[in-house]
Amino acid sequence: MTREFCRPIFVLGCPRSGTTLLQQMLHSHRRIAFPSETRFVHTSYEARHGFGDLERAENRRALAEWITGGRDTKFKVLELDAADVIEEIVHGPPTLGSALAAVFRAYARRHGKPRWGDKRPSYFRRVPMLQRMFPDAQFVHLVRDGRDAVSSLMGMPWFKGDIYAAALTWREAVDTGTNLAARLGPRTFHELRYEDLVAEPEDALMKLCAFIGEEYDPEMTRAYEHARRTVPSTRKWHLRTHEAVNTRRVGAWRDRLEGWEADLVEHVLNSRLLHHGYSLSEGARPAAGHLARFHRLAAHRWRTRHTQAVRDRLAEAREPNPVASRLAGPVPVA
């Protein structure tokens, strides 16, 4: 088996762009294990200095116990035996990436699959982190019409921002995707549109499988069967994954957004919408006050992002160990 057929796969995109649907589709492939959001990858990376030198077995154990039992992780969704995973990490290579890969490989092994992936929309902000830990990773960016993504995001009980924050998040995600496409190239980065995925799922998934180096599996279009078993009904914002793929929500922004909101979102996203093949309506120019508020937030986020980049470089300089995973190759399965 070639290395191309065992690279980790990461799905990213603006929240409410269909990444959960795509995760379910990928997990339905006979060779790929793709769990729900685990939330221990970025938190482990941020906490890495607190575990000390991972050459020491007791530090690897402390890391493993934090991953499997920490309050900030969702290890339980994997339904793995924590004690077994802890021992696997303790006896594995002394790097953070290896510890995390051990968890995902255990999950893949549980499902009898040789390959694994992970999904989290906000990974679009974390690609450098992911590349440091998984240098051979492949990235899949799912893009949805910004007006639909923003209008859906505004209705989520867990979203604490406003229309300006939602529009800026979509703009940041697609700008990152454009930059990643140029920097990483077609063997490492693949972009697809939500609208194409739900309108012609077989065609979109065949192209995706060609990118990740796998044969297309028709079960991917029946992902709703898996979702009905794994996506709880309490997560009402994901219940559409229980349905067969359809286009009913395409263009829903017309009913969800107020007139001034639609005008604002379309105005500040217009060039990106056109770049990704979305047509524009004939809305009015937003009020100056709305535009000023959006640009103030954009400037604030730019400063925050660059401050964080400096902190990240300083943190990298004082790492006691390399972070790259040393676990490569297909997951052994029975």
Side-chain angles (χ1 to χ4, degrees):
M1 182 177 294
T2 67
R3 189 176 182 84
E4 187 73 25
F5 284 81
C6 48
R7 298 168 69 184
I9 307 161
F10 291 96
V11 167
L12 48 96
C14 178
R16 305 305 297 164
S17 291
T19 56
T20 298
L21 170 64
L22 185 55
Q23 170 256 321
Q24 295 284 333
M25 288 175 160
L26 283 162
H27 186 77
S28 297
H29 192 286
R30 63 185 176 276
R31 285 178 36 87
I32 305 171
F34 226 100
S36 302
E37 291 183 28
T38 54
R39 303 199 178 189
F40 54 67
V41 173
H42 70 288
T43 51
S44 298
Y45 185 81
E46 291 167 354
R48 67 194 184 280
H49 294 92
F51 298 103
D53 184 356
L54 293 183
E55 291 284 352
R56 301 175 61 180
E58 61 267 31
N59 290 344
R60 294 198 299 278
R61 183 173 297 278
L63 169 63
E65 290 175 347
W66 185 87
I67 291 173
T68 58
R71 290 182 303 171
D72 295 328
T73 78
K74 287 193 172 183
F75 175 82
K76 290 181 179 179
V77 303
L78 302 178
E79 298 182 343
L80 297 173
D81 185 282
D84 289 345
V85 172
I86 289 171
E87 292 307 313
E88 196 163 340
I89 292 174
V90 170
H91 293 92
T95 73
L96 176 61
S98 300
L100 295 172
V103 179
F104 288 112
R105 289 167 70 88
Y107 179 78
R109 194 164 57 243
R110 172 177 170 262
H111 287 274
K113 299 181 179 184
R115 196 168 178 189
W116 63 269
D118 190 29
K119 129 5 206 191
R120 185 169 171 81
S122 62
Y123 278 159
F124 77 82
R125 296 189 176 100
R126 304 279 186 162
V127 171
M129 171 198 77
L130 294 170
Q131 285 194 295
R132 292 195 74 222
M133 292 193 289
F134 309 104
D136 60 344
Q138 291 180 293
F139 299 92
V140 180
H141 182 216
L142 187 59
V143 177
R144 185 183 184 187
D145 186 322
R147 296 159 296 191
D148 275 333
V150 167
S151 65
S152 180
L153 190 54
M154 290 292 293
M156 294 300 102
W158 41 261
F159 181 65
K160 305 306 179 184
D162 53 21
I163 191 74
Y164 309 96
L168 186 57
T169 298
W170 186 87
R171 193 176 80 169
E172 291 170 344
V174 298
D175 284 354
T176 299
T178 299
N179 293 334
L180 290 173
R183 180 168 69 84
L184 301 181
R187 290 190 65 250
T188 298
F189 182 85
H190 179 74
E191 190 169 84
L192 69 158
R193 300 195 323 165
Y194 168 83
E195 292 77 15
D196 299 328
L197 180 63
V198 296
E200 298 289 343
E202 184 171 325
D203 181 65
L205 291 170
M206 289 181 71
K207 292 175 181 175
L208 174 58
C209 287
F211 163 69
I212 60 177
E214 298 286 352
E215 292 184 4
Y216 168 68
D217 187 341
E219 287 300 308
M220 298 174 79
T221 62
R222 300 175 62 84
Y224 57 89
E225 295 178 352
H226 178 259
R228 289 169 183 170
R229 297 191 301 270
T230 60
V231 177
S233 57
T234 53
R235 289 163 58 184
K236 295 181 180 180
W237 50 90
H238 284 157
L239 287 184
R240 293 195 66 248
T241 60
H242 292 189
E243 306 173 5
V245 176
N246 61 74
T247 61
R248 286 200 298 272
R249 294 296 182 180
V250 174
W253 64 270
R254 294 180 176 85
D255 299 320
R256 290 174 167 175
L257 294 178
E258 295 183 23
W260 74 268
E261 292 177 321
D263 292 342
L264 172 69
V265 171
E266 189 166 281
H267 181 85
V268 298
L269 304 183
N270 56 13
S271 62
R272 280 92 169 169
L273 290 168
L274 290 171
H275 175 75
H276 287 281
Y278 300 110
S279 58
L280 303 180
S281 63
E282 297 182 1
R285 180 177 176 83
H290 292 314
L291 288 176
R293 187 169 174 180
F294 175 84
H295 291 301
R296 281 197 301 270
L297 179 61
H300 172 72
R301 284 201 186 177
W302 184 90
R303 290 191 298 269
T304 301
R305 188 166 59 249
H306 281 264
T307 299
Q308 186 60 51
V310 172
R311 292 174 179 166
D312 289 344
R313 288 194 292 270
L314 293 173
E316 291 174 19
R318 58 185 180 87
E319 287 170 345
N321 309 100
V323 298
S325 173
R326 296 177 186 171
L327 295 177
V331 177
V333 294

